[in-house]
Amino acid sequence: MTVAAVNALLYSSHHPRDQLKRALRIPALSPGWRWSFEALVRSQDAHPGATGNAGLVPAAAAHTAQPGFRPLRVSRIDRECVDVISLTLQPTDEKPLTTPLAGQFVVLRLRPRPDGPLLFRSYSLSGLPSDEHYRVSVKVEPNGAAGDYLNSNVRTGDVLDVSEPRGSFTLRPGDGPVVLLSAGIGATPVLAMLHALSASATLREVWWLYSARDGKSHSFGAEVRQLLTMLARGRSQIWYSRPAADDREGREYNATGRLEIKVLDQLGVPREGDFYICGPSSFLSDLSTGLAAWGVPPDRIHSEIFAGGPSLRPGMTATPVRAPHQPAGTPGTGPLVSFARSGIAARWRLDDKSLLELAEACDVPVRWSCRTGVCHNCESGLISGSVTYQPDPLDPPADGNLLICCSRPQSDVVIDI
């Protein structure tokens, strides 16, 4: 069945749900179309009046947020370790902030040089979820433009543009064990989860498992120890991969080495727990694979990494992974399109039929199946800006999201991919 035929059927009535059910009775309907239509019907039945389609939206875009930025004042700056700083941000007016879910992040809009380009960076909220202030913790990387600017130029009292909290790497409700695994700056989102668990005086078994290079690069040590004292069933294990001569085993850290699956069994970490992982890509990949082999169900393994996500391009030949870059050929002159996770921005080009095509030209990792606004595999967070659709999607994305496969920018846009 062709796209044109499906569109003609679906848009021939003011009652698309009835047309969806009619479409499901068509014998020639392909499995892919049938799966999408069934998900649409289930979503409409389960969430009447809700925006978007909960049955189709990818996990990364499941928690939506209002697009745009809000000015917040830096009220405090703390040095967490040799290369990590924390910024506490408060409203410039009397209006409360949106209370985030533990584990979510915000996007900062920065302009390090008055005549230079804007930078967009995602930072996890590392403190107790609050509507009074946010705390972000930033690693100052060598040659890192955003981290260096925040560390060298931003002072208490300065105002930064901050997005609404977003992200789906969040603490799940329940009564079972919680296992928080992190390395380096990856501690930030799971630290927010530890804050939330401590504030609620949870009776759940909570494990804090953390790996750092040495004492100088160990962030939040005293803070974590204090939070764990507030938990009836809190446990902790810290590894240093290269402890310094003055690092004291048994006090600042528990063992030399790295956080690996084999030690979880030795420590008695429960397999039936929910596992939250954040850290470098190799750390995340090794632990996720190891936990699955160890017998942890996939739906109990949750992870977060601030980079372009895995691609999904059905029927396409595998190509070598390339770092995102400016598109080849003559630069565009249209609205600026910024891909926040991938750290690249490019002007819209008239020859691009969709934001998906521009992302592909920049080698930004993308996900798609239908390229016509049906499957929602490409649904992503719209951090700021506005888009128009051509063709109109079969089912609109949730408020605060967009479908890159059939949209074009109406203004400068920032997309969470």
Side-chain angles (χ1 to χ4, degrees), residues 190-202:
V190 292
L191 178 58
M193 297 179 188
L194 184 62
H195 268 283
L197 291 162
S198 298
S200 68
T202 182

Side-chain angles (χ1 to χ4, degrees), residues 76 80 98 355:
R76 178 171 173 167
E80 306 294 355
T98 299
L355 286 164

Side-chain angles (χ1 to χ4, degrees), residues 58 310-317 354-357 359-360 364-380 403-406:
S311 293
L312 174 64
R313 303 183 300 163
M316 300 291 289
T317 303
S354 67
L355 286 164
L356 172 59
E357 288 196 4
E360 290 174 325
V364 168
V366 292
R367 299 175 60 82
W368 58 265
S369 287
C370 69
R371 301 183 79 98
T372 57
V374 173
C375 72
H376 284 235
N377 277 322
C378 73
E379 187 167 341
S380 307
L403 302 179
I404 62 171
C405 75
C406 55

